[in-house]
Protein backbone atom coordinates (compact mmCIF):
# COMPACT_ATOMS: atom_id res chain seq x y z
CA UNK A 1 0.00 0.00 0.00
CA UNK A 2 1.42 3.47 -0.88
CA UNK A 3 2.53 5.55 2.09
CA UNK A 4 0.19 8.42 3.00
CA UNK A 5 1.49 11.83 1.99
CA UNK A 6 0.34 14.79 4.12
CA UNK A 7 -0.22 18.21 2.60
CA UNK A 8 1.79 19.90 5.37
CA UNK A 9 4.16 18.83 8.15
CA UNK A 10 4.82 21.27 10.99
CA UNK A 11 7.85 20.86 13.25
CA UNK A 12 7.75 22.78 16.53
CA UNK A 13 4.86 23.22 18.98
CA UNK A 14 5.62 26.57 20.51
CA UNK A 15 3.01 29.35 20.31
CA UNK A 16 3.41 30.05 16.58
CA UNK A 17 3.58 26.36 15.66
CA UNK A 18 0.34 25.82 17.58
CA UNK A 19 -1.28 28.87 16.00
CA UNK A 20 -0.41 27.52 12.56
CA UNK A 21 -1.83 24.11 13.51
CA UNK A 22 -5.13 25.74 14.50
CA UNK A 23 -5.27 27.58 11.17
CA UNK A 24 -4.51 24.39 9.23
CA UNK A 25 -7.15 22.44 11.12
CA UNK A 26 -9.77 25.14 10.62
CA UNK A 27 -9.00 25.07 6.90
CA UNK A 28 -9.41 21.27 6.96
CA UNK A 29 -5.87 20.77 5.72
CA UNK A 30 -4.30 17.33 5.90
CA UNK A 31 -1.35 18.04 8.20
CA UNK A 32 0.89 16.37 10.79
CA UNK A 33 2.63 18.08 13.72
CA UNK A 34 5.81 17.11 15.62
CA UNK A 35 7.78 18.37 18.60
CA UNK A 36 10.93 16.92 20.12
CA UNK A 37 9.65 17.69 23.62
CA UNK A 38 6.41 19.00 25.12
CA UNK A 39 4.34 21.89 23.75
CA UNK A 40 5.79 25.25 24.78
CA UNK A 41 8.96 23.52 25.92
CA UNK A 42 11.25 26.57 25.82
CA UNK A 43 8.77 28.54 27.94
CA UNK A 44 8.79 25.73 30.51
CA UNK A 45 12.46 26.63 31.15
CA UNK A 46 11.45 30.02 32.55
CA UNK A 47 11.85 30.36 36.33
CA UNK A 48 8.66 29.96 38.39
CA UNK A 49 6.30 32.96 38.20
CA UNK A 50 8.31 34.78 35.52
CA UNK A 51 6.10 37.37 33.82
CA UNK A 52 6.15 38.04 30.10
CA UNK A 53 7.30 41.42 28.87
CA UNK A 54 4.61 41.44 26.16
CA UNK A 55 0.98 42.16 26.91
CA UNK A 56 -1.46 39.25 27.03
CA UNK A 57 -3.17 40.41 23.87
CA UNK A 58 0.08 40.29 21.90
CA UNK A 59 1.00 36.74 22.91
CA UNK A 60 -2.51 35.30 22.61
CA UNK A 61 -2.91 32.89 19.69
CA UNK A 62 -5.64 31.51 17.45
CA UNK A 63 -8.19 34.11 18.53
CA UNK A 64 -8.38 32.68 22.05
CA UNK A 65 -8.22 35.45 24.70
CA UNK A 66 -5.48 35.13 27.30
CA UNK A 67 -6.93 36.18 30.64
CA UNK A 68 -5.23 36.44 34.03
CA UNK A 69 -6.85 36.83 37.48
CA UNK A 70 -5.29 40.26 38.09
CA UNK A 71 -5.49 41.47 34.46
CA UNK A 72 -1.70 41.69 34.56
CA UNK A 73 0.86 40.20 32.23
CA UNK A 74 0.85 36.42 32.14
CA UNK A 75 3.27 34.35 34.14
CA UNK A 76 5.09 31.29 32.83
CA UNK A 77 2.57 29.04 34.58
CA UNK A 78 -0.44 30.93 33.24
CA UNK A 79 0.86 30.88 29.69
CA UNK A 80 1.64 27.18 29.70
CA UNK A 81 -1.86 26.56 31.08
CA UNK A 82 -3.21 28.73 28.27
CA UNK A 83 -1.31 26.78 25.59
CA UNK A 84 -2.61 23.49 26.98
CA UNK A 85 -6.11 24.95 26.83
CA UNK A 86 -5.69 25.93 23.16
CA UNK A 87 -4.55 22.41 22.30
CA UNK A 88 -7.52 20.95 24.18
CA UNK A 89 -10.02 23.41 22.71
CA UNK A 90 -9.07 22.65 19.12
CA UNK A 91 -8.16 19.01 19.78
CA UNK A 92 -4.77 19.43 18.14
CA UNK A 93 -2.89 16.21 17.45
CA UNK A 94 0.72 17.08 18.32
CA UNK A 95 3.15 14.19 18.25
CA UNK A 96 5.18 15.31 21.26
CA UNK A 97 8.44 13.65 22.31
CA UNK A 98 8.97 12.61 18.69
CA UNK A 99 12.07 14.47 17.45
CA UNK A 100 12.79 14.81 13.74
CA UNK A 101 16.15 13.16 13.17
CA UNK A 102 16.41 13.52 9.40
CA UNK A 103 14.84 15.28 6.41
CA UNK A 104 15.10 13.96 2.86
CA UNK A 105 13.83 15.58 -0.29
CA UNK A 106 11.49 13.46 -2.37
CA UNK A 107 9.99 14.18 -5.77
CA UNK A 108 7.17 16.46 -4.63
CA UNK A 109 8.02 17.08 -1.00
CA UNK A 110 9.84 15.66 2.01
CA UNK A 111 10.38 12.49 3.98
CA UNK A 112 10.74 13.15 7.71
CA UNK A 113 12.57 10.63 9.84
CA UNK A 114 11.45 10.76 13.46
CA UNK A 115 12.08 8.81 16.63
CA UNK A 116 9.09 7.91 18.78
CA UNK A 117 8.82 5.64 21.80
CA UNK A 118 7.96 2.85 19.36
CA UNK A 119 11.18 3.41 17.41
CA UNK A 120 12.15 5.07 14.11
CA UNK A 121 9.28 6.40 11.96
CA UNK A 122 8.95 7.88 8.48
CA UNK A 123 6.40 10.50 7.47
CA UNK A 124 5.95 12.07 4.05
CA UNK A 125 4.62 15.57 3.34
CA UNK A 126 4.43 17.84 0.33
CA UNK A 127 5.31 20.94 2.34
CA UNK A 128 7.29 21.40 5.52
CA UNK A 129 7.16 24.25 8.05
CA UNK A 130 9.99 24.58 10.57
CA UNK A 131 8.74 26.51 13.61
CA UNK A 132 11.55 25.32 15.85
CA UNK A 133 12.37 28.52 17.76
CA UNK A 134 15.69 30.17 18.36
CA UNK A 135 16.72 29.41 21.95
CA UNK A 136 17.69 25.75 21.86
CA UNK A 137 20.83 25.68 23.97
CA UNK A 138 22.63 28.00 26.34
CA UNK A 139 25.65 29.96 25.20
CA UNK A 140 28.90 28.84 26.76
CA UNK A 141 31.19 30.97 28.88
CA UNK A 142 34.29 29.30 27.54
CA UNK A 143 35.86 29.38 30.99
CA UNK A 144 37.74 26.63 32.83
CA UNK A 145 35.42 24.95 35.33
CA UNK A 146 32.22 25.69 33.43
CA UNK A 147 31.21 22.03 33.66
CA UNK A 148 31.21 22.01 37.47
CA UNK A 149 27.85 20.99 39.00
CA UNK A 150 27.22 24.33 40.71
CA UNK A 151 27.32 26.18 37.37
CA UNK A 152 23.96 26.47 35.62
CA UNK A 153 22.34 28.45 32.82
CA UNK A 154 18.80 28.31 34.21
CA UNK A 155 17.68 30.02 37.39
CA UNK A 156 15.21 27.37 38.49
CA UNK A 157 13.61 28.02 41.88
CA UNK A 158 15.24 30.99 43.69
CA UNK A 159 14.70 29.16 46.99
CA UNK A 160 17.70 27.02 45.99
CA UNK A 161 20.02 29.96 46.72
CA UNK A 162 18.78 30.98 50.18
CA UNK A 163 21.78 32.14 52.27
CA UNK A 164 24.25 31.09 49.61
CA UNK A 165 26.68 33.16 47.54
CA UNK A 166 25.52 33.50 43.94
CA UNK A 167 27.44 35.05 41.04
CA UNK A 168 25.20 35.97 38.10
CA UNK A 169 27.00 36.37 34.76
CA UNK A 170 25.32 38.65 32.22
CA UNK A 171 23.75 42.08 31.98
CA UNK A 172 20.50 41.67 30.10
CA UNK A 173 16.98 40.80 31.17
CA UNK A 174 17.45 37.23 32.41
CA UNK A 175 20.58 38.12 34.38
CA UNK A 176 19.02 41.15 36.06
CA UNK A 177 15.82 39.31 36.89
CA UNK A 178 17.80 36.37 38.28
CA UNK A 179 19.94 38.68 40.41
CA UNK A 180 16.88 40.37 41.87
CA UNK A 181 14.99 37.15 42.52
CA UNK A 182 17.98 35.52 44.20
CA UNK A 183 18.50 38.63 46.33
CA UNK A 184 14.87 38.59 47.45
CA UNK A 185 15.16 34.87 48.23
CA UNK A 186 17.92 35.65 50.72
CA UNK A 187 21.02 35.00 48.63
CA UNK A 188 24.21 37.04 48.70
CA UNK A 189 24.33 38.19 45.07
CA UNK A 190 27.10 39.52 42.86
CA UNK A 191 27.01 40.08 39.11
CA UNK A 192 29.66 40.13 36.38
CA UNK A 193 29.02 41.77 33.02
CA UNK A 194 31.33 42.51 30.12
CA UNK A 195 29.62 45.87 29.44
CA UNK A 196 30.26 49.15 31.23
CA UNK A 197 26.67 49.12 32.52
CA UNK A 198 23.57 46.96 32.22
CA UNK A 199 21.80 46.94 28.85
CA UNK A 200 18.69 48.89 29.89
CA UNK A 201 17.07 48.72 26.46
CA UNK A 202 16.94 44.92 26.75
CA UNK A 203 15.55 44.73 30.28
CA UNK A 204 11.99 44.88 31.61
CA UNK A 205 11.67 48.52 32.52
CA UNK A 206 10.34 47.87 36.01
CA UNK A 207 13.46 45.90 37.00
CA UNK A 208 16.05 48.58 36.24
CA UNK A 209 15.43 51.10 39.09
CA UNK A 210 15.39 48.41 41.76
CA UNK A 211 18.52 46.73 40.46
CA UNK A 212 20.40 50.03 40.22
CA UNK A 213 19.37 50.96 43.74
CA UNK A 214 20.66 47.67 45.13
CA UNK A 215 23.97 48.08 43.28
CA UNK A 216 24.36 51.70 44.44
CA UNK A 217 23.75 50.67 48.04
CA UNK A 218 26.21 47.78 47.81
CA UNK A 219 23.58 45.13 48.48
CA UNK A 220 24.38 43.58 45.10
CA UNK A 221 28.07 43.65 44.16
CA UNK A 222 28.49 44.58 40.50
CA UNK A 223 31.67 43.91 38.50
CA UNK A 224 31.27 45.65 35.17
CA UNK A 225 33.65 45.27 32.23
CA UNK A 226 34.74 41.85 33.45
CA UNK A 227 34.67 38.34 32.03
CA UNK A 228 34.82 34.96 33.74
CA UNK A 229 38.11 33.17 33.12
CA UNK A 230 38.05 30.37 35.70
CA UNK A 231 35.54 28.70 38.02
CA UNK A 232 36.42 26.57 41.06
CA UNK A 233 34.07 24.94 43.59
CA UNK A 234 34.33 28.02 45.82
CA UNK A 235 35.45 31.01 43.72
CA UNK A 236 35.25 32.61 40.29
CA UNK A 237 38.13 34.47 38.66
CA UNK A 238 37.12 37.66 36.85
CA UNK A 239 39.39 39.55 34.48
CA UNK A 240 38.97 43.19 33.46
CA UNK A 241 39.94 44.84 30.18
CA UNK A 242 43.49 45.45 31.37
CA UNK A 243 43.92 41.79 32.27
CA UNK A 244 43.84 42.36 36.02
CA UNK A 245 42.02 39.60 37.91
CA UNK A 246 40.04 39.28 41.11
CA UNK A 247 38.52 36.35 42.97
CA UNK A 248 34.81 36.39 43.82
CA UNK A 249 33.42 33.84 46.27
CA UNK A 250 30.51 31.85 44.82
CA UNK A 251 28.58 28.76 45.89
CA UNK A 252 26.56 28.93 42.65
CA UNK A 253 27.22 30.48 39.26
CA UNK A 254 24.28 31.47 37.05
CA UNK A 255 25.51 32.01 33.49
CA UNK A 256 22.70 34.10 32.03
CA UNK A 257 24.35 35.07 28.74
CA UNK A 258 21.70 33.99 26.27
CA UNK A 259 20.92 31.07 24.03
CA UNK A 260 21.85 29.74 20.60
CA UNK A 261 19.68 28.29 17.89
CA UNK A 262 20.08 24.66 16.89
CA UNK A 263 20.32 24.80 13.09
CA UNK A 264 20.71 21.07 12.53
CA UNK A 265 17.24 20.65 10.98
CA UNK A 266 17.81 23.63 8.69
CA UNK A 267 21.00 22.01 7.44
CA UNK A 268 19.36 18.61 7.03
CA UNK A 269 16.70 20.25 4.89
CA UNK A 270 19.37 21.92 2.73
CA UNK A 271 18.46 25.41 3.89
CA UNK A 272 20.87 28.30 3.41
CA UNK A 273 21.78 30.39 6.46
CA UNK A 274 23.16 33.91 6.35
CA UNK A 275 24.60 36.70 8.48
CA UNK A 276 26.24 36.61 11.90
CA UNK A 277 23.04 35.22 13.45
CA UNK A 278 22.91 32.28 11.06
CA UNK A 279 19.32 33.15 10.17
CA UNK A 280 17.49 31.14 7.51
CA UNK A 281 16.94 32.69 4.09
CA UNK A 282 13.24 33.10 3.25
CA UNK A 283 10.75 35.19 1.28
CA UNK A 284 9.15 37.81 3.54
CA UNK A 285 5.87 37.62 1.63
CA UNK A 286 5.37 33.86 1.83
CA UNK A 287 7.85 32.62 4.49
CA UNK A 288 9.02 30.06 1.91
CA UNK A 289 12.75 29.38 1.73
CA UNK A 290 14.78 28.82 -1.44
CA UNK A 291 14.11 25.10 -0.89
CA UNK A 292 10.77 24.54 -2.69
CA UNK A 293 7.99 23.66 -0.26
CA UNK A 294 10.06 24.48 2.84
CA UNK A 295 8.80 27.29 5.09
CA UNK A 296 9.99 28.85 8.34
CA UNK A 297 7.86 30.48 11.05
CA UNK A 298 8.07 32.03 14.50
CA UNK A 299 11.27 33.00 16.24
CA UNK A 300 13.13 30.40 14.15
CA UNK A 301 13.42 33.10 11.46
CA UNK A 302 15.67 35.23 13.69
CA UNK A 303 18.57 32.81 14.00
CA UNK A 304 20.67 33.21 17.15
CA UNK A 305 19.64 36.63 18.39
CA UNK A 306 22.04 38.77 20.39
CA UNK A 307 19.64 41.70 20.69
CA UNK A 308 16.17 40.24 20.32
CA UNK A 309 13.98 41.65 17.58
CA UNK A 310 11.85 38.60 16.75
CA UNK A 311 9.29 37.70 19.43
CA UNK A 312 6.01 35.82 19.69
CA UNK A 313 4.12 39.07 19.28
CA UNK A 314 5.55 39.98 15.88
CA UNK A 315 5.39 36.45 14.44
CA UNK A 316 1.61 36.01 14.15
CA UNK A 317 1.81 37.40 10.62
CA UNK A 318 3.89 34.37 9.64
CA UNK A 319 0.77 32.22 9.97
CA UNK A 320 -1.12 34.53 7.63
CA UNK A 321 1.61 34.43 5.00
CA UNK A 322 2.08 30.67 5.11
CA UNK A 323 -1.64 29.92 4.92
CA UNK A 324 -2.01 32.25 1.96
CA UNK A 325 0.99 30.72 0.19
CA UNK A 326 0.14 27.07 0.84
CA UNK A 327 -3.65 27.01 0.68
CA UNK A 328 -4.68 30.38 -0.74
CA UNK A 329 -6.47 31.01 2.54
CA UNK A 330 -6.68 34.37 4.32
CA UNK A 331 -6.31 34.34 8.10
CA UNK A 332 -6.73 37.47 10.19
CA UNK A 333 -4.01 38.69 12.56
CA UNK A 334 -5.12 36.60 15.51
CA UNK A 335 -6.48 33.61 13.59
CA UNK A 336 -9.95 34.81 14.60
CA UNK A 337 -11.44 33.71 11.31
CA UNK A 338 -10.51 32.02 8.08
CA UNK A 339 -11.88 33.08 4.71
CA UNK A 340 -11.90 30.01 2.52
CA UNK A 341 -11.67 30.58 -1.24
CA UNK A 342 -14.89 30.16 -3.20
CA UNK A 343 -15.22 26.77 -4.81
Amino acid sequence: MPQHVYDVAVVGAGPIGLELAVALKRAKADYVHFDARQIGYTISWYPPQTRFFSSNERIAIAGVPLLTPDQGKATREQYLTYLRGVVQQFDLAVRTYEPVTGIDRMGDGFTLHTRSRAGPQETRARRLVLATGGTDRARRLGAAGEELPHVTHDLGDPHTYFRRRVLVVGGRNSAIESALRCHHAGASVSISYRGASIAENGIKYWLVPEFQSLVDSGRIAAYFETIVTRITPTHVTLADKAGATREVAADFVLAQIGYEQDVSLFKKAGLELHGPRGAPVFDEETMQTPVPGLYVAGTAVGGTQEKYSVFIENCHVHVQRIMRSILGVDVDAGCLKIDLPES
Side-chain angles (χ1 to χ4, degrees), residues 64-101:
V64 179
L66 170 56
L67 306 176
T68 57
D70 62 354
Q71 296 77 54
K73 294 179 178 181
T75 64
R76 160 196 178 272
E77 289 78 5
Q78 289 166 339
Y79 197 61
L80 289 174
T81 301
Y82 169 77
L83 294 181
R84 295 196 299 270
V86 169
V87 171
Q88 295 275 50
Q89 177 177 337
F90 294 100
D91 192 24
L92 301 179
V94 186
R95 287 162 64 168
T96 55
Y97 299 101
E98 188 168 343
V100 175
T101 58

Side-chain angles (χ1 to χ4, degrees), residues 98-126:
E98 188 168 343
V100 175
T101 58
I103 300 172
D104 294 330
R105 290 285 298 168
M106 62 181 194
D108 61 344
F110 305 88
T111 297
L112 275 63
H113 303 273
T114 64
R115 186 178 66 253
S116 72
R117 297 287 175 87
Q121 309 290 326
E122 280 191 7
T123 302
R124 298 180 68 184
R126 295 182 180 87

Side-chain angles (χ1 to χ4, degrees), residues 37-343:
R37 298 297 182 93
Q38 188 51 270
I39 66 164
Y41 179 65
T42 299
I43 295 163
S44 72
W45 296 352
Y46 294 5
Q49 297 303 315
T50 296
R51 289 192 181 273
F52 279 78
F53 185 85
S54 300
S55 68
N56 295 341
E57 182 179 25
R58 289 180 177 274
I59 59 174
I61 63 173
V64 179
L66 170 56
L67 306 176
T68 57
D70 62 354
Q71 296 77 54
K73 294 179 178 181
T75 64
R76 160 196 178 272
E77 289 78 5
Q78 289 166 339
Y79 197 61
L80 289 174
T81 301
Y82 169 77
L83 294 181
R84 295 196 299 270
V86 169
V87 171
Q88 295 275 50
Q89 177 177 337
F90 294 100
D91 192 24
L92 301 179
V94 186
R95 287 162 64 168
T96 55
Y97 299 101
E98 188 168 343
V100 175
T101 58
I103 300 172
D104 294 330
R105 290 285 298 168
M106 62 181 194
D108 61 344
F110 305 88
T111 297
L112 275 63
H113 303 273
T114 64
R115 186 178 66 253
S116 72
R117 297 287 175 87
Q121 309 290 326
E122 280 191 7
T123 302
R124 298 180 68 184
R126 295 182 180 87
R127 299 176 184 86
L128 172 61
V129 181
L130 297 180
T132 49
T135 54
D136 299 291
R137 55 175 176 253
R139 283 194 177 98
R140 310 298 292 174
L141 288 168
E146 186 171 5
E147 304 302 327
L148 290 170
H150 68 298
V151 181
T152 182
H153 297 271
D154 299 311
L155 171 63
D157 192 330
H159 176 74
T160 304
Y161 311 107
F162 173 63
R163 290 193 172 181
R164 307 305 295 180
R165 300 165 300 182
V166 179
L167 173 68
V168 179
V169 183
R172 295 187 178 274
N173 190 75
S174 295
I176 302 308
E177 189 158 10
S178 293
L180 289 173
R181 295 189 68 172
C182 288
H183 170 79
H184 292 308
S188 174
V189 178
S190 55
I191 188 166
S192 166
Y193 182 50
R194 63 185 179 181
S197 62
I198 61 172
E200 292 190 25
N201 61 346
I203 300 171
K204 296 171 184 175
Y205 62 85
W206 59 88
L207 301 178
V208 174
E210 182 183 12
F211 175 80
Q212 195 60 58
S213 174
L214 290 168
V215 169
D216 292 344
S217 66
R219 298 172 69 189
I220 289 180
Y223 304 100
F224 293 115
E225 297 186 299
T226 63
I227 60 170
V228 175
T229 60
R230 183 169 177 264
I231 303 170
T232 73
T234 58
H235 289 77
V236 176
T237 303
L238 303 180
D240 64 20
K241 286 185 174 181
T245 62
R246 71 166 70 217
E247 300 291 311
V248 177
D251 301 305
F252 293 94
V253 178
L254 297 180
Q256 304 271 269
I257 56 174
Y259 290 84
E260 298 175 334
Q261 184 179 63
D262 180 354
V263 298
S264 58
L265 285 186
F266 292 160
K267 291 182 177 179
K268 287 174 182 176
L271 182 54
E272 179 185 353
L273 307 177
H274 73 98
R277 298 188 303 182
V281 175
F282 64 95
D283 183 339
E284 293 275 359
E285 293 298 317
T286 65
M287 309 307 296
Q288 186 170 199
T289 73
V291 178
L294 177 62
Y295 295 76
V296 289
T299 56
V301 307
T304 293
Q305 300 185 68
E306 178 74 24
K307 296 181 179 179
Y308 283 83
S309 59
V310 183
F311 307 93
I312 297 170
E313 65 179 66
N314 57 15
C315 289
H316 301 294
V317 68
H318 299 174
V319 175
Q320 296 174 298
R321 295 169 181 170
I322 290 171
M323 291 296 291
R324 188 178 301 119
S325 175
I326 290 178
L327 299 176
V329 166
D330 284 324
V331 182
D332 77 358
C335 277
L336 294 174
K337 63 183 177 66
I338 289 180
D339 295 325
L340 296 174
E342 295 182 5
S343 57

